[in-house]
Amino acid sequence: QVQVVQSGGGLVQPGGSLKLSCTASGMFDSLMSMAWYRQSPGNERDLVAVVISGNKPYSKEGRFTLSEERAKNTAYLQMNNLKIEDTAAYYCKATVHRDGDAEYSAYWGQGTQVTVSL
């Protein structure tokens, strides 16, 4: 089994900052990538940032920075200068290879709510 556990999130005023964290654990032999997505009501789940093993992190939003601690199978999403439109549920996805499997498998975290409001 593979577990992906998120922490962080909450309520913040516009212009504020939040940091999310995500840790993958369990039975896998390699972690190919970690990514952050967000989903607001009525919308699809959209990619926010991603890091693929051996590559630099990529963020679609310049105010957001993905960093990682590979040794801990942990990724972070630092979100600065938050705007009301950043309000959404944020999800972490870990893509791993499990011993004996022919392909990689993706596992999602439980999601965490980020609300930006006055």
Side-chain angles (χ1 to χ4, degrees):
Q1 291 288 352
V2 177
Q3 298 82 36
V4 180
V5 179
Q6 301 176 215
S7 64
L11 175 65
V12 65
Q13 293 185 343
S17 298
L18 283 174
K19 187 174 185 177
L20 309 180
S21 65
C22 171
T23 298
S25 63
M27 301 295 291
F28 58 90
D29 53 36
S30 66
L31 177 61
M32 186 187 83
S33 67
M34 297 188 80
W36 289 97
Y37 290 74
R38 67 183 180 186
Q39 186 172 23
S40 54
N43 294 310
E44 295 183 349
R45 191 171 294 186
D46 291 330
L47 178 69
V48 174
V50 61
V51 61
I52 299 172
S53 180
N55 294 273
K56 292 182 179 180
Y58 164 76
S59 176
K60 290 182 64 177
E61 176 58 64
R63 297 176 289 116
F64 296 177
T65 302
L66 189 157
S67 61
E68 58 176 338
E69 288 188 77
R70 273 285 162 170
K72 297 181 179 180
N73 294 326
T74 297
Y76 305 95
L77 185 67
Q78 177 68 46
M79 302 182 291
N80 297 327
N81 190 23
L82 283 161
K83 301 177 180 181
I84 291 176
E85 53 263 39
D86 293 320
T87 296
Y90 284 71
Y91 296 90
C92 176
K93 183 178 76 172
T95 303
V96 306
H97 182 265
R98 299 174 63 188
D99 188 29
D101 288 354
E103 299 178 350
Y104 288 92
S105 300
Y107 296 85
W108 290 91
Q110 78 275 21
T112 185
Q113 181 66 33
V114 171
T115 302
V116 185
S117 179
L118 294 170

